[in-house]
Amino acid sequence: MEGKGFFIDLTKCTACRGCQIACKQWHKLPAEETYNWGSFQNPKDLSFITYKLVRMEESLENGKVKDWLFFPDQCRHCLQPPCKMVGDMDDDKAILQEWETGTVMFTEKTRNLFAEEIRNACPYDIPRVNEETNVLSKCDMCFDRVINGKLPACVLSCPTGTMHFGELEDMKKMAEERLAEVKKIYPNAVLGDPSSVRVIYLFQDQPSKYYGRAVATVGPRLYNRKEAFAKLFRPTKRS
Ligand code: SF4
Ligand code: SF4
């Protein structure tokens, strides 16, 4: 299975947030209550009702702002998704991987999973839980659009040529070619985990400068169920 993929060229992103809004609109997700927390990045983080977030960071040099780094964060639709591997232990219908596109989809049955385990399994810190229902959510690649031959809403909305979508092989090729070009100006430029995900970012500088979980440098932090239960039910000392 090759399936579909994204190429996201961060050297072109202007943080207009068109993609963030288009995602909300297509999925009919309500607005977040936001506040001024000292950054143009708003809301502050992904949530059960925000699947896509344009993260913003200042890159400093000698105490002065060198660059604004913009990072439209979303699920990477991993080729071998750790969230699904962990979820399958409790309900193998809760997280699905569609065979034609490779989309990783969370269903209502995620309510049967241990949300903290799924969150900890994701190397990119993507899944979010509805505290009331225990259902998990994240980007679904606009699967309903894609199977009808349309682009994901975020890609369609992007006015700068940052976001691309198509066959995964084509996206990989486009990413490699653009990387070679960009490296002439930005020698630190790099692709994010191109062999293990369907959403390939081109970073103009070290990924960690954009966001601590931009790439899976440490791998999935697999949750140890045995240890967690041991902590919960640790016998208390009698006085
Ligand atoms: S990025 Fe996280 S939530 Fe998305 S498929 Fe990979 S492990 Fe699952
Ligand atoms: S729509 Fe394009 S340019 Fe605007 S924030 Fe999203 S990726 Fe960046």
Side-chain angles (χ1 to χ4, degrees):
M1 173 182 74
E2 266 306 324
K4 302 290 186 184
F6 295 71
F7 166 48
I8 305 184
D9 180 354
L10 297 176
T11 66
K12 294 187 176 179
C13 181
T14 59
C16 72
R17 284 188 279 217
C19 53
Q20 189 175 311
I21 303 300
C23 176
K24 282 256 176 200
Q25 278 185 330
W26 183 254
H27 294 94
K28 297 188 171 59
L29 294 166
E32 301 265 5
E33 193 168 330
T34 55
Y35 60 97
N36 185 345
W37 62 283
S39 167
F40 289 114
Q41 177 183 315
N42 238 328
K44 197 171 180 181
D45 201 2
L46 294 169
S47 77
F48 183 74
I49 54 167
T50 296
Y51 303 165
K52 177 136 193 155
L53 174 69
V54 182
R55 298 188 184 276
M56 305 184 189
E57 278 297 333
E58 288 174 349
S59 165
L60 301 177
E61 198 172 71
N62 301 324
K64 291 189 178 156
V65 177
K66 181 182 160 214
D67 277 316
W68 272 94
L69 300 177
F70 306 129
F71 180 55
D73 194 11
Q74 63 168 86
C75 169
R76 314 300 198 272
H77 296 277
C78 303
L79 300 182
Q80 295 182 329
C83 58
K84 177 164 172 58
M85 289 177 206
V86 172
D88 282 358
M89 292 194 295
D90 292 303
D91 185 339
D92 63 4
K93 302 285 187 301
I95 300 178
L96 306 174
Q97 191 172 26
E98 198 274 328
W99 66 274
E100 198 176 344
T101 59
T103 313
V104 178
M105 281 186 276
F106 283 11
T107 72
E108 290 282 312
K109 290 186 177 175
T110 50
R111 66 162 49 90
N112 302 327
L113 307 180
F114 287 87
E116 198 182 344
E117 281 187 348
I118 307 301
R119 281 185 41 71
N120 278 297
C122 175
Y124 307 101
D125 190 27
I126 296 296
R128 293 292 185 274
V129 65
N130 179 326
E131 299 292 345
E132 284 168 21
T133 63
N134 199 49
V135 172
L136 287 148
S137 74
K138 66 164 193 70
C139 156
D140 63 359
M141 206 193 268
C142 285
F143 179 71
D144 49 352
R145 295 178 58 87
V146 172
I147 45 158
N148 285 298
K150 294 182 188 297
L151 289 171
C154 57
V155 180
L156 184 65
S157 77
C158 180
T160 62
T162 302
M163 300 206 62
H164 304 265
F165 182 81
E167 296 304 315
L168 181 59
E169 276 309 299
D170 296 341
M171 293 300 106
K172 277 187 187 162
K173 195 160 171 276
M174 193 186 279
E176 292 290 351
E177 286 173 3
R178 179 68 182 149
L179 175 66
E181 207 177 311
V182 163
K183 265 194 171 290
K184 292 175 196 160
I185 306 167
Y186 302 110
N188 292 336
V190 67
L191 299 178
D193 304 328
S195 57
S196 55
V197 296
R198 291 183 183 279
V199 180
I200 303 169
Y201 290 95
L202 166 55
F203 300 90
Q204 71 184 46
D205 207 338
Q206 294 158 12
S208 59
K209 290 189 179 173
Y210 286 77
Y211 172 52
R213 305 291 290 275
V215 289
T217 44
V218 291
R221 296 171 299 137
L222 288 174
Y223 185 85
N224 188 319
R225 187 175 292 187
K226 208 169 153 192
E227 276 177 17
F229 274 100
K231 269 186 212 160
L232 268 177
F233 300 112
R234 185 176 294 151
T236 49
K237 282 185 187 165
R238 287 173 198 275
S239 53

Short mmCIF file of all heavy atoms in Angstrom, two decimals, residues 163-185:
data_model
loop_
_atom_site.label_atom_id
_atom_site.label_comp_id
_atom_site.label_asym_id
_atom_site.label_seq_id
_atom_site.Cartn_x
_atom_site.Cartn_y
_atom_site.Cartn_z
N MET A 163 1.06 23.91 1.20
CA MET A 163 0.47 22.58 1.39
C MET A 163 0.19 21.90 0.06
O MET A 163 -0.43 22.49 -0.84
CB MET A 163 -0.83 22.70 2.18
CG MET A 163 -0.61 23.31 3.55
SD MET A 163 -1.85 22.80 4.72
CE MET A 163 -1.60 21.06 4.77
N HIS A 164 0.65 20.66 -0.04
CA HIS A 164 0.42 19.85 -1.25
C HIS A 164 -0.14 18.51 -0.81
O HIS A 164 0.15 18.02 0.28
CB HIS A 164 1.74 19.61 -1.99
CG HIS A 164 2.44 20.88 -2.34
ND1 HIS A 164 2.31 21.51 -3.56
CD2 HIS A 164 3.27 21.67 -1.61
CE1 HIS A 164 3.03 22.61 -3.57
NE2 HIS A 164 3.62 22.74 -2.40
N PHE A 165 -0.91 17.88 -1.71
CA PHE A 165 -1.51 16.59 -1.38
C PHE A 165 -1.57 15.76 -2.66
O PHE A 165 -1.84 16.28 -3.75
CB PHE A 165 -2.93 16.78 -0.83
CG PHE A 165 -3.60 15.51 -0.43
CD1 PHE A 165 -3.33 14.93 0.81
CD2 PHE A 165 -4.50 14.87 -1.27
CE1 PHE A 165 -3.96 13.75 1.19
CE2 PHE A 165 -5.12 13.68 -0.89
CZ PHE A 165 -4.84 13.12 0.35
N GLY A 166 -1.32 14.45 -2.53
CA GLY A 166 -1.41 13.58 -3.70
C GLY A 166 -0.92 12.19 -3.35
O GLY A 166 -0.97 11.78 -2.19
N GLU A 167 -0.45 11.46 -4.37
CA GLU A 167 0.10 10.13 -4.12
C GLU A 167 1.35 10.28 -3.25
O GLU A 167 2.17 11.18 -3.49
CB GLU A 167 0.46 9.44 -5.44
CG GLU A 167 -0.73 9.18 -6.35
CD GLU A 167 -1.82 8.35 -5.67
OE1 GLU A 167 -1.47 7.35 -5.02
OE2 GLU A 167 -3.00 8.72 -5.77
N LEU A 168 1.51 9.39 -2.28
CA LEU A 168 2.63 9.53 -1.33
C LEU A 168 3.98 9.57 -2.06
O LEU A 168 4.85 10.38 -1.72
CB LEU A 168 2.59 8.38 -0.32
CG LEU A 168 3.68 8.39 0.74
CD1 LEU A 168 3.65 9.68 1.57
CD2 LEU A 168 3.55 7.18 1.66
N GLU A 169 4.14 8.71 -3.06
CA GLU A 169 5.42 8.68 -3.78
C GLU A 169 5.72 10.03 -4.43
O GLU A 169 6.85 10.51 -4.42
CB GLU A 169 5.38 7.58 -4.86
CG GLU A 169 5.72 6.21 -4.33
CD GLU A 169 7.02 6.18 -3.52
OE1 GLU A 169 8.09 6.49 -4.08
OE2 GLU A 169 6.97 5.85 -2.32
N ASP A 170 4.68 10.65 -5.01
CA ASP A 170 4.87 11.96 -5.65
C ASP A 170 5.22 13.02 -4.62
O ASP A 170 6.04 13.91 -4.88
CB ASP A 170 3.58 12.37 -6.40
CG ASP A 170 3.26 11.43 -7.55
OD1 ASP A 170 4.18 10.70 -7.98
OD2 ASP A 170 2.10 11.41 -7.99
N MET A 171 4.59 12.93 -3.46
CA MET A 171 4.86 13.91 -2.40
C MET A 171 6.31 13.77 -1.89
O MET A 171 6.98 14.76 -1.64
CB MET A 171 3.88 13.75 -1.23
CG MET A 171 2.45 14.08 -1.57
SD MET A 171 2.23 15.80 -2.12
CE MET A 171 1.98 15.56 -3.87
N LYS A 172 6.76 12.52 -1.79
CA LYS A 172 8.15 12.29 -1.34
C LYS A 172 9.13 12.90 -2.34
O LYS A 172 10.11 13.54 -1.98
CB LYS A 172 8.42 10.79 -1.22
CG LYS A 172 7.95 10.18 0.08
CD LYS A 172 8.42 8.74 0.15
CE LYS A 172 7.85 8.01 1.33
NZ LYS A 172 7.93 6.57 1.22
N LYS A 173 8.84 12.68 -3.61
CA LYS A 173 9.73 13.18 -4.67
C LYS A 173 9.74 14.72 -4.64
O LYS A 173 10.81 15.34 -4.70
CB LYS A 173 9.19 12.67 -6.02
CG LYS A 173 10.15 12.79 -7.15
CD LYS A 173 9.75 11.84 -8.29
CE LYS A 173 10.56 12.10 -9.54
NZ LYS A 173 10.07 13.17 -10.38
N MET A 174 8.55 15.29 -4.53
CA MET A 174 8.46 16.76 -4.48
C MET A 174 9.25 17.30 -3.29
O MET A 174 9.95 18.30 -3.38
CB MET A 174 6.97 17.15 -4.35
CG MET A 174 6.68 18.59 -4.60
SD MET A 174 4.93 18.99 -4.25
CE MET A 174 4.14 18.45 -5.73
N ALA A 175 9.13 16.61 -2.14
CA ALA A 175 9.81 17.04 -0.92
C ALA A 175 11.33 16.99 -1.10
O ALA A 175 12.05 17.92 -0.72
CB ALA A 175 9.37 16.17 0.26
N GLU A 176 11.84 15.90 -1.68
CA GLU A 176 13.29 15.76 -1.88
C GLU A 176 13.81 16.85 -2.83
O GLU A 176 14.86 17.43 -2.58
CB GLU A 176 13.62 14.37 -2.48
CG GLU A 176 13.37 13.19 -1.54
CD GLU A 176 14.34 13.13 -0.38
OE1 GLU A 176 15.32 13.89 -0.37
OE2 GLU A 176 14.08 12.33 0.55
N GLU A 177 13.07 17.10 -3.89
CA GLU A 177 13.50 18.11 -4.86
C GLU A 177 13.52 19.50 -4.25
O GLU A 177 14.45 20.27 -4.41
CB GLU A 177 12.58 18.09 -6.09
CG GLU A 177 12.84 16.88 -6.97
CD GLU A 177 11.84 16.70 -8.10
OE1 GLU A 177 10.95 17.56 -8.27
OE2 GLU A 177 11.96 15.70 -8.82
N ARG A 178 12.48 19.79 -3.49
CA ARG A 178 12.39 21.13 -2.86
C ARG A 178 13.46 21.27 -1.77
O ARG A 178 14.05 22.34 -1.61
CB ARG A 178 10.98 21.30 -2.29
CG ARG A 178 10.75 22.61 -1.59
CD ARG A 178 10.75 23.82 -2.51
NE ARG A 178 10.55 25.03 -1.71
CZ ARG A 178 11.03 26.21 -2.01
NH1 ARG A 178 11.71 26.40 -3.13
NH2 ARG A 178 10.82 27.25 -1.23
N LEU A 179 13.75 20.18 -1.05
CA LEU A 179 14.80 20.22 -0.02
C LEU A 179 16.14 20.61 -0.64
O LEU A 179 16.86 21.47 -0.12
CB LEU A 179 14.91 18.87 0.69
CG LEU A 179 16.06 18.75 1.69
CD1 LEU A 179 15.83 19.67 2.89
CD2 LEU A 179 16.20 17.30 2.19
N ALA A 180 16.47 19.99 -1.77
CA ALA A 180 17.75 20.27 -2.44
C ALA A 180 17.83 21.75 -2.82
O ALA A 180 18.88 22.39 -2.66
CB ALA A 180 17.89 19.38 -3.68
N GLU A 181 16.71 22.31 -3.24
CA GLU A 181 16.66 23.71 -3.64
C GLU A 181 16.83 24.63 -2.42
O GLU A 181 17.64 25.56 -2.41
CB GLU A 181 15.28 23.94 -4.27
CG GLU A 181 15.20 25.05 -5.29
CD GLU A 181 13.78 25.08 -5.87
OE1 GLU A 181 13.27 24.00 -6.27
OE2 GLU A 181 13.19 26.15 -5.86
N VAL A 182 16.06 24.32 -1.37
CA VAL A 182 16.02 25.16 -0.17
C VAL A 182 17.35 25.15 0.58
O VAL A 182 17.76 26.15 1.17
CB VAL A 182 14.85 24.68 0.74
CG1 VAL A 182 14.97 25.21 2.15
CG2 VAL A 182 13.52 25.08 0.13
N LYS A 183 18.07 24.02 0.50
CA LYS A 183 19.34 23.90 1.24
C LYS A 183 20.39 24.92 0.77
O LYS A 183 21.30 25.25 1.50
CB LYS A 183 19.89 22.48 1.10
CG LYS A 183 19.49 21.59 2.26
CD LYS A 183 20.29 20.31 2.28
CE LYS A 183 20.08 19.51 3.54
NZ LYS A 183 20.66 20.11 4.74
N LYS A 184 20.21 25.42 -0.44
CA LYS A 184 21.16 26.43 -0.95
C LYS A 184 21.05 27.71 -0.12
O LYS A 184 22.00 28.45 0.02
CB LYS A 184 20.85 26.73 -2.42
CG LYS A 184 21.14 25.57 -3.35
CD LYS A 184 20.69 25.91 -4.75
CE LYS A 184 20.58 24.65 -5.60
NZ LYS A 184 19.72 24.85 -6.78
N ILE A 185 19.85 27.96 0.41
CA ILE A 185 19.64 29.17 1.22
C ILE A 185 19.67 28.84 2.72
O ILE A 185 20.21 29.58 3.52
CB ILE A 185 18.28 29.83 0.88
CG1 ILE A 185 18.19 30.09 -0.62
CG2 ILE A 185 18.08 31.14 1.66
CD1 ILE A 185 16.80 30.44 -1.09
#
